[in-house]
Amino acid sequence: MQGFRVIGFAYKDFKSNDDINVESLKREEVENGLQFLGFLVLENRLKSETKPVLHELKSANIRTIMVTGDNLQTACTVGLSSGMVSDVSRLLMLEACEPYGEIPASFTSQSVESHRDKSQTQNESMKRIATTASDITWGLNATTKKYHYAMTGKSYDVIKKHFPDMIPDILLNGTIFGRMTPKEKIGIIKDFQKSDYYIGMCGDGANDCGALKAAHAGISLSNLEASVASPFTSNIPNIECVPKLLKEGRNTLVTAISLFKYLITYTLIQLICMILLFWKQTVLGNNHYLMQDIAISVTIILTMSITGPASKLAPYRPAMSLLSPPLLLSLVLHISFAIIIQTSAFFLVQQQPWYNESNVFSACLLNNETSVNQTMMMPHSYSQNFMTTTLWPVSGINLIILECVFSKGWAFRKPIYTNYIFCILVLAQLVAFLFILFADIEPLYHAMELVCTPYYWRLEILGMLIILFAASYSVEVFVYNRELWLVIKKIFGYKSKSQYKKIQWALEKRTDSSLYKGIFPSEQQFSIRERDCV
């Protein structure tokens, strides 16, 4: 009851003159007529890191389960003291028996009390309610508070064999599984996986190898046998590695999706620019493409992933699919903005009084006035015209805006300003584009295949890009607003395909049977309990 490990000691004398081969004796013959010596009581205290980690996982709506080979009572005490079973919850220990002769299979339920409440319950005996397949009444009618199940591996196998309709409820509320063999550990992990759970398993012994391999993410807490079968091996010999792995995994997933979004929008932005330029029978120059492909795209691919994971686990998971509604909506809106901004610049530049398709000239004077008669003295390339001079900075700075917007940190990554290398490079990119846009250096313009335009037109381009940044950032915040999607799901009556719905359906199948009436919570209580599920 106090979480100790207790070993009994006894001895037996075999006199030297007895002609007995001790090695040939059976165990029953040796363990007979023993003299009791006493008990060895071992205390295995919780590590200081255990309770904070369990609390962090619970705050993130991640369910924790204990699957151990230790004694069930010891496991229950550890579960109560560590916080796996909260003070307001009820822990029920189930014990199942195989059928014997004419006696059908049965199981009993025992309410486990925490040793912290021992002073209040020391004069009360534990309530045991015998049950059989024809009369299952555990006393679960008072389901006003959350309940948890604790059982041995043998009891779980008996219930799974003779009471299969009980398994969904056990998988939903089972928290402590003791005296589990390696094979039983593998079996219960596979049962959870069939219920659409994503399983993370951590262990340090050879008996955990099978379960570590069967789980979605197995974490070995030692460098011995368990590390051979486990995909991950922790250098920290405690469960602090579990939230760390979750943070890193979520950060990796979100970063990969962000890079995917950027590459899609990068390709389409360049395609839009090319289509508009083809309309006027011109193209971007080699230097234009080098700035967009190497200075921008390669830089973001190499540095965006440096951003570290968030310091706190979010109470929900990131989007798991590349075809998720938020991601698709984000892509559609950002591509729409790119079409609008480039098309607007395309038509506006043609309405300027200095615009000329047949003759390329400098539209700038020293006093910042326009002239339609001043021709360029230096030879110009095919890509050096007013159209490319307008669309190149628009499309290029659009890419810089998207790399900033897609690097938004919350809620699975650290803020963007913590990635110093990325921020410095983005700032350098932006400064380079703005310098080229506003500089009146004829050799630079000639090298970059650009044409000088009036300052008021450059300011108009900058104004359009500022509006684009505000729109893109607002859309990214709006699209990934979780509360918004929850409201949309509620309005359109979206029904989750989670394991809870499957479990609830499995329970409702037997509502017409008197065998299970009064055992499971009502539909209203299910809906209340659904919020506590992972």
Side-chain angles (χ1 to χ4, degrees):
M1 288 295 295
Q2 298 181 19
F4 297 134
R5 300 169 187 261
V6 183
I7 301 176
F9 281 89
Y11 77 98
K12 183 177 182 179
D13 267 338
F14 291 96
K15 299 193 177 185
S16 58
N17 56 2
D18 292 344
D19 189 12
I20 299 176
N21 186 3
V22 179
E23 294 181 357
S24 64
L25 293 176
K26 296 182 179 180
R27 179 173 179 175
E28 292 79 7
E29 297 175 351
V30 175
E31 296 179 356
N32 186 8
L34 300 175
Q35 299 295 321
F36 176 69
L37 289 175
F39 291 112
L40 175 63
V41 181
L42 305 176
E43 182 179 7
N44 190 5
R45 296 181 180 179
L46 284 177
K47 296 180 180 179
S48 59
E49 303 87 359
T50 300
K51 293 184 73 173
V53 170
L54 292 177
H55 177 73
E56 182 179 7
L57 295 175
K58 187 176 181 180
S59 301
N61 286 336
I62 297 174
R63 182 179 168 190
T64 54
I65 295 172
M66 184 190 304
V67 182
T68 178
D70 290 341
N71 181 276
L72 182 59
Q73 180 61 65
T74 302
C76 290
T77 304
V78 173
L80 289 167
S81 59
S82 64
M84 293 183 66
V85 180
S86 61
D87 296 336
V88 297
S89 302
R90 184 181 181 188
L91 181 60
L92 300 174
M93 185 186 296
L94 304 182
E95 183 178 354
C97 299
E98 291 273 8
Y100 180 77
E102 297 181 354
I103 302 175
S106 63
F107 61 88
T108 60
S109 169
Q110 176 181 345
S111 180
V112 180
E113 301 293 340
S114 171
H115 67 274
R116 291 170 294 187
D117 303 327
K118 186 178 179 182
S119 59
Q120 301 176 4
T121 59
Q122 59 183 354
N123 297 325
E124 300 178 4
S125 61
M126 290 187 176
K127 299 180 181 179
R128 299 182 60 88
I129 306 173
T131 61
T132 64
S134 61
D135 181 23
I136 305 179
T137 54
W138 310 345
L140 292 184
N141 295 327
T143 54
T144 56
K145 58 182 180 180
K146 173 74 175 175
Y147 57 93
H148 300 259
Y149 293 139
M151 68 196 72
T152 62
K154 182 180 179 181
S155 296
Y156 179 77
D157 290 339
V158 173
I159 294 175
K160 185 177 180 180
K161 181 179 180 181
H162 298 281
F163 307 98
D165 287 340
M166 283 298 307
I167 295 301
D169 190 44
I170 290 176
L171 293 178
L172 187 63
N173 298 287
T175 302
I176 298 173
F177 298 87
R179 284 288 184 249
M180 299 288 288
T181 64
K183 185 177 179 180
E184 290 169 344
K185 291 181 180 181
I186 298 174
I188 196 168
I189 284 181
K190 291 184 176 180
D191 289 341
F192 275 112
Q193 290 173 337
K194 291 177 182 177
S195 299
D196 287 349
Y197 276 105
Y198 288 90
I199 306 298
M201 168 77 180
C202 57
D204 57 359
N207 57 340
D208 297 320
C209 289
L212 291 170
K213 188 175 182 180
H216 290 101
I219 310 173
S220 173
L221 301 180
S222 70
N223 293 317
L224 301 178
E225 299 92 341
S227 62
V228 177
S230 177
F232 301 97
T233 301
S234 172
N235 292 325
I236 306 173
N238 57 64
I239 60 174
E240 278 185 327
C241 58
V242 176
K244 183 177 181 180
L245 180 62
L246 286 169
K247 295 171 186 175
E248 293 286 356
R250 290 180 174 185
N251 178 37
T252 302
L253 177 61
V254 172
T255 302
I257 291 177
S258 298
L259 286 171
F260 168 79
K261 289 171 58 179
Y262 176 79
L263 290 175
I264 293 295
T265 52
Y266 156 74
T267 304
L268 293 176
I269 286 172
Q270 282 198 334
L271 177 62
I272 296 166
C273 183
M274 290 174 59
I275 292 174
L276 293 175
L277 292 176
F278 283 173
W279 191 350
K280 294 298 181 180
Q281 299 181 355
T282 185
V283 292
L284 291 177
N286 292 332
N287 293 333
H288 299 156
Y289 284 119
L290 287 175
M291 283 286 289
Q292 291 183 352
D293 295 345
I294 297 180
I296 298 179
S297 299
V298 173
T299 301
I300 183 178
I301 291 173
L302 295 177
T303 58
M304 180 186 282
S305 58
I306 302 178
T307 305
S311 58
K312 183 179 179 181
L313 278 173
Y316 54 91
R317 298 182 302 184
M320 303 293 290
S321 172
L322 292 176
L323 299 178
S324 61
L327 186 144
L328 293 177
L329 181 59
S330 174
L331 286 176
V332 169
L333 291 176
H334 286 301
I335 294 170
S336 301
F337 290 158
I339 295 174
I340 293 172
I341 193 72
Q342 292 195 45
T343 305
S344 301
F346 176 78
F347 286 107
L348 287 175
V349 70
Q350 298 180 60
Q351 298 175 5
Q352 305 305 314
W354 39 263
Y355 177 78
N356 193 325
E357 294 183 12
S358 59
N359 187 19
V360 179
F361 57 89
S362 175
C364 306
L365 291 175
L366 294 177
N367 56 1
N368 201 28
E369 295 180 357
T370 63
S371 172
V372 297
N373 298 319
Q374 183 179 1
T375 58
M376 297 183 61
M377 301 303 296
M378 301 180 66
H380 64 275
S381 65
Y382 183 76
S383 301
Q384 193 171 5
N385 52 65
F386 292 116
M387 193 60 67
T388 56
T389 301
T390 299
L391 291 183
W392 175 71
V394 170
S395 59
I397 297 181
N398 190 2
L399 294 177
I400 298 176
I401 291 173
L402 289 180
E403 69 181 7
C404 294
V405 170
F406 290 160
S407 298
K408 183 172 66 71
W410 190 85
F412 305 105
R413 292 184 289 178
K414 288 182 179 179
I416 185 175
Y417 58 80
T418 60
N419 190 344
Y420 304 112
I421 299 178
F422 177 80
C423 291
I424 292 172
L425 292 175
V426 168
L427 184 61
Q429 294 169 5
L430 184 60
V431 169
F433 267 86
L434 293 179
F435 176 77
I436 295 174
L437 179 62
F438 287 96
D440 285 333
I441 305 175
E442 193 64 33
L444 176 63
Y445 283 171
H446 183 73
M448 291 301 300
E449 301 178 80
L450 299 175
V451 182
C452 185
T453 57
Y455 271 109
Y456 81 87
W457 177 243
R458 305 181 211 180
L459 291 174
E460 287 185 11
I461 292 176
L462 181 60
M464 288 189 290
L465 292 172
I466 293 175
I467 295 174
L468 176 63
F469 172 76
S472 299
Y473 185 83
S474 301
V475 160
E476 197 70 9
V477 174
F478 174 78
V479 166
Y480 284 95
N481 188 331
R482 186 168 180 266
E483 287 73 17
L484 171 66
W485 289 103
L486 292 177
V487 171
I488 293 175
K489 289 180 180 180
K490 185 176 181 180
I491 293 175
F492 290 95
Y494 174 81
K495 293 185 178 180
S496 174
K497 295 182 180 179
S498 65
Q499 80 286 349
Y500 188 84
K501 294 296 181 181
K502 295 182 179 181
I503 291 172
Q504 185 178 9
W505 174 81
L507 297 178
E508 289 175 349
K509 287 195 305 181
R510 298 302 301 270
T511 54
D512 57 338
S513 173
S514 60
L515 181 64
Y516 292 93
K517 284 185 178 179
I519 296 177
F520 304 114
S522 63
E523 182 178 354
Q524 179 181 4
Q525 290 160 342
F526 264 126
S527 62
I528 294 174
R529 194 164 292 146
E530 184 175 1
R531 295 196 298 267
D532 299 328
C533 298
V534 178

